[in-house]
Each structure stands twice: as C-alpha cells, then as structure tokens.
C-alpha cells in the first residue's frame, strides 16, 4: 500500500528481534457534525470536516505482537479469525505501518471490541484508533498525536477523531497536501457537561457498510452537494456553540446535520435507509422530551440506533424515557471519554 504523504520517520533502526506485545485501548466517538463521503478513497480524505465527542463506553483493546518467524499476519477479532473485508482492511493497515517503519516482520493482532460490531456505534473508529497506537508502538514508530490521527484515518476515517479525548474536529484538509492536512485535533469546549444516551434499537450487523453507502451517496445522490455545503456552515456554528457552552444550539445543529446526512442517503440510487420504525419512535420521544422541558437532541449514524445529546444531569431521565419507548432495545449512558492510549508495552 502506498505511503505517499505520510510524514513520519522510524525512531529507531530495524530491530527484528523485538517481538514484545503492545496493548492499546481506544473508545468510539459520535459525530455531531458528520463525516459522510470521501474525496479520496485510497487516502481516506473526506469531502467535509467533521466534529465528534469521544465516549467513555465501549472500549476496544488491541494487542499487537511482532512475529519475525511468521510468513503472514494473523488477526483475531473478539477471539475469532478475521475474514473478508475486515481482514483486508487490517492487513492493508499493517502494511502501511510497516512501510512507514521500514520494517518487514509480520504481526499477530488480537482485538477485543465491546460495542456491537457493525451496528453504527463506530466500532471501526475505536478499532483503528487502538490498532494505530498499538501497531505504531510495536513497530517502533515515534508518532505524535497529529501523526497518529493521520495514521488512524487511513484505517477508518472516524478513527482519526478517537485518538483524542472529548470533542475533536477532523479537518477535511486542503487540495495541496490532502494527506498532511487531513487530521483531527481537540476542540476547546466551555462549561458543558454533556451526555450521549445511546438507544440500541437493533444490534445486528448493517445490510450496507458505511463505506459502501457513503460511496453510493456521493456518486448518485442529488442531495449530497447541498448537504456537504450546509455541513461546512453547521461546523462553523457548532464551534461557536461549543465555545459558549450552549447545549441547545449544539443539539439543534447536530440533529439537523444528522437528519440531512440521512436525507442524502435516502435520495441515493438505490436508496440507503438505515432508519427503522424503532428509530422513528425514538425521534418522536426525543421531540416530546423537549416539549416536556428536557433539552435532548438526536443523532444517528450508519444504523438504526439513536444517540441523544443532553445535559449529564438529565441523562437518567432521558435514558428512562428511551427505555420506555423501545422496551425491546437497550440503552447505555455515555459521557465524554479519553483518547486512544497505550496500556502496556511500547516506549
Ligand atoms: C456515519 O469512519 O466508519 O459514523 O472511513 O469508510 O471507515 P470509513 O467510514 P467510517 O464512517 C463513519 C460515518 C458516520 C459518521 C461519522 O462518524 O462522522
């Protein structure tokens, strides 16, 4: 896999005898301004900038061990051998890390994910953020947080944001140096104590992967360009709202941005529809919570689940309302969480 544009250098010379295990952990993030659509598929450069909150739930823990005697990489996810598209993406990613490090040894990757995989709770974000941190350390790459964010981006766009704690902004990047200028960074927030209450309507894997769905949307949806333009304006307003700690404005902008993203998909040919009857029930309940005086705002990703932004102090009330609305689902209260980090091994 080409490594064009990635600005890193191995911190130490090739040391094939090093085979210590390195373990890293990362949390998913939920975008309040969505990433939907790539300008460059290979480098994972988005059309628009996005902004998210890293969560304190659903960590992915990944161990990378170099295997100098092995002829191929080995990857297990939740104790099972990875296969298909997931395996291909991890192997491509390891190849990229090896090129950056100037190393050749194969690796054994063992990853444990606590979110329902493929259900729109961003398991690829925590997965590739943890893999970026663990693999970079295992191959002795000395990367700062910006470089780790760029690297994680190559695995999965949203992973660039999970490198950071709390709120982070992933810059779409410029034409001149697309790879170098597309990375996430922390966003200053004042006086907000937010929660995201996650209502899992359905934890089965999605019918269309977000990667395929966003490609189809960009290629065929007449609503894509208008949404992308309005998303850039949403981002400007969102940063101002976060800066003044205005949860109502943050929530209103997040809700319209997410609904707009789903509108682009519904207009794709053929349509991509992740929203289910359970999703609509929850959207109605959130509207009623607002009418009853509880500030609560919905956002949805590539799946039927609904994440509800509210004040931390209202989280239990919001969770109870969502549980009542979908008795067959499950509800998890998340708050702002830490960035990707090494747990053991590495330097
Ligand atoms: C709807 O980051 O999973 O969650 O870059 O193709 O791996 P790839 O896509 P991914 O897409 C996430 C899309 C989203 C919105 C968001 O997180 O911004």
């Amino acid at each position: 896999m080409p490594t064009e544009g990635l600005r890193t250098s191995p911190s130490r010379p090739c040391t094939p005898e090093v085979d210590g295990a390195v373990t890293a952990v990362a949390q998913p993030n939920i975008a309040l301004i969505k990433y939907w659509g790539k300008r460059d598929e290979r480098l994972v450069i988005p059309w628009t900038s996005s902004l998210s909150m890293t969560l304190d739930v659903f960590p992915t823990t990944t161990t990378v061990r170099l295997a100098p005697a092995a002829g191929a990489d080995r990857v297990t996810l939740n104790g099972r051998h990875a296969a298909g598209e997931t395996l291909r993406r991890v192997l491509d990613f390891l190849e990229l890390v090896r090129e950056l490090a100037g190393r050749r040894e194969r690796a054994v990757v063992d990853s444990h994910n606590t979110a329902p995989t493929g259900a729109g709770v961003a398991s690829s974000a925590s997965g590739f953020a943890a893999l970026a941190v663990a693999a970079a350390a295992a191959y002795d790459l000395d990367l700062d947080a910006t470089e780790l964010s760029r690297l994680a981006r190559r695995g999965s766009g949203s992973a660039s944001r999970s490198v950071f704690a709390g709120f982070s902004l992933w810059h779409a990047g410029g034409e001149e140096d697309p790879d170098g200028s597309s990375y996430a960074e922390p966003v200053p927030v004042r006086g907000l104590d937010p929660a995201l209450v996650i209502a899992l309507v359905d934890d089965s894997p999605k019918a269309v992967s977000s990667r395929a769905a966003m490609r189809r949307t960009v290629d065929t949806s007449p609503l894509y360009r208008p949404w992308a333009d309005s998303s850039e304006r949403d981002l400007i307003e969102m940063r101002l709202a976060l800066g003044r700690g205005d949860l109502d404005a943050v929530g209103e902008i997040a809700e319209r941005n997410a609904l707009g993203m789903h509108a682009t998909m519904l207009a794709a040919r053929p349509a991509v529809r992740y929203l289910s009857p359970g999703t609509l029930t929850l959207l109605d309940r959130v509207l009623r919570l607002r009418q009853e005086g509880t500030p609560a705002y919905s956002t949805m990703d590539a799946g039927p689940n609904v994440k509800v932004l509210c004040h931390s102090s209202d989280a239990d009330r919001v969770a109870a309302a969502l549980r009542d609305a979908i008795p067959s689902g499950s509800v998890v209260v998340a708050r702002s969480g830490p960035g990707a980090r090494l747990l053991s091994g590495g330097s």
Side-chain angles (χ1 to χ4, degrees):
M1 178 186 252
T3 55
E4 154 200 326
L6 273 156
R7 315 134 153 215
T8 56
S9 54
S11 60
R12 277 182 243 162
C14 178
T15 50
E17 70 282 6
V18 173
D19 66 350
V22 176
T23 300
V25 64
Q27 252 87 343
N29 65 76
I30 298 297
L32 301 180
I33 300 291
K34 302 295 184 188
Y35 149 52
W36 194 251
K38 294 178 186 64
R39 187 153 52 93
D40 184 319
E41 293 265 342
R42 187 176 60 81
L43 292 173
V44 192
I45 308 292
W47 277 110
T48 59
S49 300
S50 55
L51 188 149
S52 63
M53 182 174 119
T54 299
L55 307 181
D56 64 348
V57 296
F58 299 147
T60 296
T61 305
T62 299
T63 299
V64 175
R65 184 191 303 274
L66 300 193
D73 296 312
R74 274 205 327 237
V75 182
T76 54
L77 297 179
N78 292 336
R80 307 170 75 138
H81 288 293
E85 175 69 5
T86 307
L87 176 64
R88 192 191 59 71
R89 284 174 65 173
V90 175
L91 296 182
D92 283 352
F93 191 82
L94 291 171
E95 207 48 51
L96 171 64
V97 175
R98 277 193 286 267
E99 283 202 38
L100 290 171
R103 301 274 291 259
R104 300 163 75 116
E105 309 96 303
R106 302 288 135 179
V108 177
V109 175
D110 185 22
S111 186
H112 289 268
N113 177 27
T114 50
T117 302
V121 192
S123 51
S124 70
S126 53
F128 277 101
L131 182 60
V133 171
Y139 283 100
D140 281 334
L141 272 174
D142 185 16
L143 305 184
D144 64 22
T146 303
E147 291 165 332
L148 274 171
S149 174
R150 278 197 204 101
L151 175 62
R153 186 200 81 223
R154 296 287 294 271
S156 180
S158 53
S160 65
R161 300 183 308 235
S162 273
V163 168
F164 298 100
F167 289 87
S168 60
L169 162 63
W170 171 21
H171 298 282
E175 295 279 323
E176 205 155 281
D177 178 13
D179 178 61
S181 57
S182 187
Y183 55 86
E185 64 182 1
V187 172
V189 169
R190 250 204 346 194
L192 262 191
D193 185 14
L196 270 168
V197 183
I198 303 173
L200 296 167
V201 176
D202 176 3
D203 63 3
S204 57
K206 50 198 164 205
V208 190
S209 74
S210 56
R211 192 156 271 203
M214 69 173 83
R215 188 180 302 135
R216 191 191 299 171
T217 306
V218 171
D219 290 347
T220 70
S221 174
L223 299 190
Y224 184 69
R225 265 290 126 209
W227 173 78
D229 291 344
S230 69
S231 196
E232 294 294 357
R233 293 191 294 275
D234 284 348
L235 178 64
I236 294 168
E237 286 185 39
M238 176 63 85
R239 294 185 74 173
L240 293 171
L242 286 171
R244 59 176 194 271
D246 182 346
L247 183 106
D248 287 301
V250 169
E252 270 167 31
I253 300 163
E255 198 172 272
R256 74 184 184 216
N257 189 269
L259 288 168
M261 177 186 75
H262 283 275
T264 68
M265 296 182 218
L266 290 168
R269 296 159 192 187
V272 179
R273 186 174 61 83
Y274 288 121
L275 312 182
S276 70
T279 315
L280 301 183
T281 301
L282 288 164
L283 293 183
D284 280 347
R285 186 66 191 94
V286 170
L287 265 183
R288 269 203 290 128
L289 272 167
R290 288 215 286 275
Q291 286 156 2
E292 292 158 11
T294 303
Y297 299 88
S298 304
T299 184
M300 295 83 62
D301 294 292
N305 305 318
V306 179
K307 295 95 181 187
V308 180
L309 180 77
C310 61
H311 290 292
S312 199
S313 51
D314 287 335
D316 289 343
R317 179 168 356 144
V318 170
L322 300 183
R323 270 189 203 105
D324 267 6
I326 45 148
S328 62
S330 56
V331 174
V332 176
V333 174
R335 292 187 169 81
S336 174
R341 60 224 176 264
L342 272 180
L343 276 189
S344 62
S347 49

